[in-house]
Amino acid sequence: MIPRRNPFPADRFARLIDWLYPPRCRACRERIRGSDSEYFCVPCRGRIRLIQPPLCTICGRPFPDASGGDHRCGACLARPPRFSRARAWACYPREETDRAPLREVLHRFKYGRKIALGKPLGRLMALGCAGFLAQYASDLIVPVPLHPRRLRWRGFNQSVVLARQVSRVYAVPLDPFALRRVKETPPQTQLSEEERRRNVRGAFAVREGAELEGRRVLLIDDVYTSGATVNECARALLRAGAEEVCVLTLARTV
């Protein structure tokens, strides 16, 4: 049987969609050329600092001196975290600046309730960290939970939205309810690292009936700052029988 030729190939269809609905940069809203999978225009993408080696082999912090190899940072040597490894796609600027496209898009996603931004951001995280995810293959994805009161106020959990994209890209099961936030804590923004650790101590618990025994868990959050939150989540998951916990975030402060 001779296969029927498609009178309207996929590439022509994609070009038509781009012509009808021109893809826009998620940060500056300028038109971007080619496939919408790029998500950021060239100037904005150039202002996003991707995480590059050399890195801390545990928390993934990039070192300023690019001449050396990967090794443990001082913080991980002094206080080893409960998770095995953590990686992020890009750096997150600590200070407010109009030249920080990723910060702007993340703020619109989280606080502006632009849930649609979760898909491109989640895919950037998933594809940008493909090497890490292949090396430390997990069999369950768990997002960092919000306290029910915060969830009602925001309307969605940004970590669940990001985790759903990673789950789809790699076909790894997602359990958005494995962890619960059982203690409402004040925002961590203005706290020191030690205060952050105390702030989240005992804030998370594993849902009764969650199947974690012997599982290699990939814990997902949007931004890694001090690591206190994901470390406390990892503590709860390991106590419940998880074999290993690795951490993936879209961005991290440096």
Side-chain angles (χ1 to χ4, degrees):
M1 180 182 294
I2 300 175
R4 181 183 298 178
R5 183 178 179 183
N6 186 350
F8 203 67
D11 60 337
R12 290 181 59 192
F13 181 73
R15 288 198 297 271
L16 176 63
I17 293 298
D18 280 356
W19 182 75
L20 291 172
Y21 305 100
R24 301 284 178 179
C25 172
R26 268 45 176 190
C28 69
R29 305 306 300 162
E30 287 295 321
R31 181 171 180 173
I32 55 178
R33 302 291 179 181
S35 171
D36 199 19
S37 63
E38 293 176 357
Y39 303 131
F40 290 97
C41 67
V42 172
C44 285
R45 185 65 179 254
R47 294 197 293 271
I48 298 174
R49 178 187 166 195
L50 302 184
I51 302 290
Q52 301 287 351
L55 310 170
C56 172
T57 54
I58 303 299
C59 73
R61 178 192 298 273
F63 295 115
D65 184 1
S67 62
D70 293 352
H71 58 277
R72 291 193 182 193
C73 68
C76 289
L77 284 171
R79 191 190 293 264
R82 302 303 299 269
F83 54 81
S84 299
R85 299 287 188 275
R87 292 295 183 273
W89 174 65
C91 296
Y92 188 78
R94 291 179 180 270
E95 302 299 329
E96 295 281 355
T97 171
D98 59 356
R99 295 181 59 82
L102 184 58
R103 183 189 186 101
E104 179 182 338
V105 174
L106 258 174
H107 273 231
R108 291 212 310 267
F109 171 46
K110 289 176 63 174
Y111 308 115
R113 295 178 172 85
K114 302 295 184 180
I115 304 178
L117 290 171
K119 181 176 181 178
L121 291 175
R123 287 185 61 82
L124 283 170
M125 178 170 66
L127 300 176
C129 298
F132 169 70
L133 293 172
Q135 185 178 5
Y136 299 101
S138 301
D139 50 32
L140 182 67
I141 293 175
V142 174
V144 172
L146 292 176
H147 188 272
R149 189 172 298 171
R150 178 64 61 87
L151 183 60
R152 286 193 296 270
W153 176 81
R154 184 169 294 167
F156 69 101
N157 181 348
Q158 72 278 1
S159 298
V160 172
V161 177
L162 296 173
R164 188 173 293 125
Q165 296 306 315
V166 180
S167 174
R168 288 173 177 170
V169 170
Y170 294 100
V172 177
L174 166 68
D175 187 348
F177 306 111
L179 272 176
R180 298 183 299 121
R181 190 153 192 156
V182 295
K183 185 173 76 172
E184 188 175 16
T185 56
Q188 305 245 91
T189 309
Q190 304 300 324
L191 303 181
S192 67
E193 290 196 12
E194 183 57 37
E195 289 171 335
R196 288 170 185 259
R197 282 191 288 268
R198 292 198 301 266
N199 190 41
V200 296
R201 184 65 56 85
F204 302 95
V206 171
R207 184 193 80 243
E208 185 176 354
E211 298 181 1
L212 294 171
E213 190 68 36
R215 307 293 290 272
R216 302 184 68 191
V217 176
L218 179 65
L219 182 66
I220 289 186
D221 204 0
D222 56 338
V223 179
Y224 183 115
T225 305
S226 68
T229 297
V230 291
N231 193 58
E232 195 63 25
C233 288
R235 185 195 307 274
L237 292 166
L238 292 169
R239 283 178 175 172
E243 178 182 331
E244 182 183 36
V245 178
C246 290
V247 177
L248 180 68
T249 60
L250 175 66
R252 66 158 297 143
T253 58
V254 293

